[in-house]
Amino acid sequence: MTTADRRTTWDTASTAPPDLLELLERRARQDGDRAALVHASAVLSWAALYESVQLARPAYTAPTGGRTRVGLLAHNHPGTAVALLALLANAAEVVLYDARATEAERDQVAELGGLGRWCDASAADAPGGAAVPPRPDASWGDVADRAGAPAYIGLVTSGTGGLPKVVRKSWPVTLANSADFAASAGFTREDRILCTTPLHHAYAFGAALLPTLLTGATLVLAPHPPAPAALARALRESGATAMQSVPFLYRALLECGERLEASGLRLCLSAGEPLPRELARAWRERVGVPLRDQYGATEFGQIAFAADDPDGPMRLMPGLTARLSDENGTWLTDPGPDTTGDIHLRQEGAEVAYWGLRDLGSAALREGWFRTGDTGRLPGPGLVEVEGRTDRRITVAGRKVDPDEVERAISSMAGVSECRVRATPPAPGRTGDSFVAFVAAEPTVTEIALRRHLARLLSSYKVPTRFHLTERLPRTGSGKVHMARLWQEAGV
């Protein structure tokens, strides 16, 4: 990406990301009547967003004393953006978290993040309505002196099966990463971005909310959790030119029976888990717009994006470098385009760190490279292809079992809608190699029938030790299978 490309993303002569609040003020003055944030219950123009942040700042100050960070309970509503911008204007270090989390979960994150208090930008208290022109003399100094931008912002991640981790993210690097992604995706002020995943997740935050604020586009917030039929209507009626979602929701849209139409749609983003080829083909045939795969992580933001070819490898974002190691940890110094290995990443200007878990970041690093837990290839300079997770590898009596192969065999049985295969977690007193298949299926599907089906397709050591049958697999807020809940349901 050239310097000129990055400049056009935020319309400034500087190669560094701008002060987000100054940019918001300029948009309010120059383009105030255009919609910035759209929700079923509230629409904020750029002028109204600016004015709302001004008015909200006194209520969203950083706490004083030993704990100066603020936890923001996020909803997919314009009020969350207003609260976040108000906190950033007050130079508060913010940790975004799910507003639907339990009190116990909040307490755990507050302890890890060193939070002084929680703010809940609930829809009931959030601003909305028509555009309110800013006062001619309005500036951020009218409410309080600008304290400068925060050094860090926190996002919470637990993957799909672990305890929460509060990732400490450099605010300047986070902004630059989102600006680079916006330029790679070609976002402009003319775009209307349909956001279908939670704003507190790195995917929606870095690939939808921040690009909107940086480019002057319009962000359309789908209700969350989104029902497929309602999401299909939002796609038809929102005027979306771009859509951000996950494979699970794209598949649900194809299967919900609703018309999938969006005359101006040009870009569909998929992230959160690898994009199945058959799903990408089905979406393109039905909607007429290709699904473009995106690779991201809470620790790094947007890592890579299929900008060149929707069916080809993804291109790494500026500032990110990748390398491979084999399964024994040996660096692959000159891997060919077809060589698969464990993906390690490094990001210019940032280091991986977690609030409250001081040693965790350094433990994940090897010679300054972060082990992502993903396997893949580097088919060319600046390119990456992700194939799966290293922690999915299963060893049975010294032989390797590919969970993807087992999942495909199980899914080929009539009545099975989806499944996940995982190695049994280690536990005291548990011996031997074992792994479990979590299967969403119709009531007519039985374990005996599954075993007979697999016996015709797989070697005996590849047949799961145990099956857990359920009506549907539970999902996290970002659409991933909630493995921690499945392990709990199975009593493992």
Side-chain angles (χ1 to χ4, degrees):
M1 178 179 300
T2 67
T3 298
D5 289 332
R6 293 185 66 178
R7 285 177 180 171
T8 57
T9 303
W10 49 77
D11 302 323
T12 180
S14 172
T15 58
D19 183 307
L20 198 58
L21 289 312
E22 291 180 359
L23 182 58
L24 174 59
E25 180 179 0
R26 189 164 77 243
R27 295 206 189 285
R29 293 182 182 280
Q30 298 175 354
D31 212 8
D33 60 346
R34 271 196 320 108
L37 303 171
V38 176
H39 184 268
S41 63
V43 176
L44 289 183
S45 68
W46 285 102
L49 175 60
Y50 168 78
E51 187 74 2
S52 297
V53 173
Q54 283 272 48
L55 296 173
R57 278 191 65 190
Y60 289 105
T61 56
T64 58
R67 293 189 170 189
T68 57
R69 297 185 195 117
V70 178
L72 177 58
L73 297 172
H75 306 255
N76 271 37
H77 187 275
T80 291
V82 170
L84 174 65
L85 289 166
L87 286 164
L88 293 175
N90 291 330
E93 289 187 342
V94 186
V95 173
L96 282 177
Y97 195 42
D98 189 355
R100 299 173 300 169
T102 66
E103 185 175 353
E105 290 169 330
R106 295 180 189 181
D107 289 344
Q108 191 172 38
V109 168
E111 183 62 29
L112 288 171
L115 304 184
R117 66 186 176 98
W118 286 103
C119 295
D120 187 352
S122 66
D125 300 329
V132 179
R135 300 184 303 277
D137 60 344
S139 69
W140 294 107
D142 289 341
V143 176
D145 291 336
R146 286 295 306 280
Y152 300 103
I153 189 168
L155 298 179
V156 181
T157 180
S158 59
T160 56
L163 294 174
K165 301 183 289 289
V166 183
V167 182
R168 188 196 74 179
K169 297 177 65 65
S170 162
W171 178 236
V173 171
T174 298
L175 266 184
N177 176 256
S178 289
D180 287 331
F181 171 75
S184 180
F187 287 147
T188 71
R189 65 189 291 278
E190 306 300 328
D191 276 304
R192 293 175 67 87
I193 305 168
L194 179 60
C195 176
T196 73
T197 62
L199 283 180
H200 66 277
H201 279 258
Y203 180 26
F205 179 72
L209 177 60
L210 289 185
T212 294
L213 297 172
L214 288 165
T215 64
T218 298
L219 185 66
V220 181
L221 295 165
H224 202 270
L231 189 55
R233 289 193 295 272
L235 182 61
R236 292 196 303 268
E237 299 169 3
S238 64
T241 61
M243 180 176 177
Q244 170 264 9
S245 198
V246 295
F248 169 72
L249 284 175
Y250 282 117
R251 189 181 300 278
L253 281 170
L254 289 174
E255 296 173 351
C256 73
E258 290 278 339
R259 288 184 297 109
L260 298 178
E261 297 175 0
S263 59
L265 191 65
R266 65 169 184 85
L267 177 65
C268 294
L269 305 172
S270 176
E273 58 185 343
L275 175 64
R277 294 286 186 182
E278 43 81 23
L279 174 59
R281 285 195 298 269
W283 183 266
R284 184 184 299 197
E285 291 172 1
R286 177 85 169 272
V287 182
V289 179
L291 271 181
R292 291 186 180 266
D293 209 357
Q294 182 183 348
Y295 178 33
T298 306
E299 288 82 357
F300 295 95
Q302 317 319 306
I303 296 171
F305 172 55
D308 306 331
D309 177 0
D311 300 318
M314 293 177 282
R315 183 165 297 280
L316 290 165
M317 291 292 106
L320 280 155
T321 312
R323 70 184 304 187
L324 301 179
S325 72
D326 64 20
E327 61 181 18
N328 297 316
T330 303
W331 292 121
L332 301 175
T333 56
D334 189 21
D338 297 323
T339 302
T340 296
D342 296 352
I343 299 174
H344 294 68
L345 293 172
R346 188 160 58 190
Q347 189 169 31
E348 182 181 344
E351 62 179 2
V352 175
Y354 304 90
W355 275 321
L357 299 169
R358 181 174 300 176
D359 298 331
L360 185 60
S362 58
L365 295 176
R366 180 185 170 202
E367 300 174 17
W369 293 85
F370 179 80
R371 181 178 180 272
T372 64
D374 297 312
T375 61
R377 302 183 299 110
L378 304 179
L383 300 177
V384 62
E385 284 191 352
V386 181
E387 297 182 351
R389 294 285 298 173
T390 58
D391 56 11
R392 281 168 50 79
R393 292 173 180 155
I394 299 171
T395 302
V396 176
R399 291 178 289 187
K400 298 294 184 183
V401 175
D402 180 0
D404 292 330
E405 179 187 12
V406 181
E407 289 173 0
R408 286 193 297 269
I410 293 173
S411 297
S412 68
M413 181 173 175
V416 173
S417 57
E418 63 174 335
C419 68
R420 290 294 186 274
V421 172
R422 295 291 187 273
T424 307
R430 182 178 293 155
T431 59
D433 299 323
S434 63
F435 61 108
V436 181
F438 299 93
V439 184
E442 298 174 359
T444 55
V445 175
T446 65
E447 180 175 336
I448 292 176
L450 275 168
R451 290 188 178 277
R452 288 174 177 168
H453 175 75
L454 294 180
R456 295 191 294 269
L457 302 175
L458 302 173
S459 300
S460 59
Y461 73 91
K462 295 181 181 179
V463 177
T465 313
R466 178 177 171 183
F467 291 84
H468 176 72
L469 296 170
T470 183
E471 182 180 351
R472 63 178 62 88
L473 301 185
R475 298 277 169 174
T476 66
S478 60
K480 297 180 181 179
V481 173
H482 201 311
M483 291 307 304
R485 189 173 301 168
L486 275 175
W487 287 119
Q488 184 177 28
E489 289 178 4
V492 178

